Amino acid sequence: QEEHIAACWECVRVAVEVCGEVRGALATAHTENVQVHEGYSQLMSKHLAMVTNYRNLESQRGTLDARVAVLAARLHQKEAEMDELRAQISALLAEERDGSKQHTHSSDAHKSASLA
């Protein structure tokens, strides 16, 4: 019977040892789990910051696109105004040339009439 009791105590000792090992493994797993969770939380925070930054950039891009469209329309308008001014200048230069030709012709006619 003493051998039976000794064997039981050996079983209890082994069970306590195994429980200690299991408890240690569980503590290690828990620590690793906490670290993974913290890492995941940090990644999610970075991800959310990146998403927010992306949305802000998209909003800014929309604003810039609208400003570019307004500036392009103004540029087109100014180019049309410049074309109109060029046409007016060309017309004035043509009138001036025609006027000076007529003046030269009438002056020549006047000279030839006075010579005759």
Side-chain angles (χ1 to χ4, degrees), residues 11-25:
C11 285
V12 169
R13 185 192 67 76
V14 169
V16 168
E17 187 178 311
V18 169
C19 284
E21 290 173 4
V22 168
R23 186 175 292 129

Side-chain angles (χ1 to χ4, degrees), residues 109-116:
H110 182 66
K111 285 180 189 173
S112 53
S114 54
L115 290 175

Side-chain angles (χ1 to χ4, degrees), residues 22-77:
V22 168
R23 186 175 292 129
L26 284 172
T28 300
H30 177 70
T31 301
E32 290 172 357
N33 188 33
V34 167
Q35 291 171 348
V36 167
H37 181 71
E38 287 172 355
Y40 176 78
S41 294
Q42 290 173 357
L43 284 175
M44 283 306 295
S45 293
K46 288 179 183 179
H47 172 72
L48 291 174
M50 288 172 59
V51 166
T52 301
N53 191 31
Y54 176 78
R55 287 182 180 153
N56 288 339
L57 289 172
E58 281 292 310
S59 174
Q60 290 174 7
R61 189 181 116 206
T63 301
L64 289 174
D65 286 346
R67 288 174 60 189
V68 165
V70 167
L71 291 173
R74 284 185 190 166
L75 177 62
H76 184 70
Q77 178 185 358

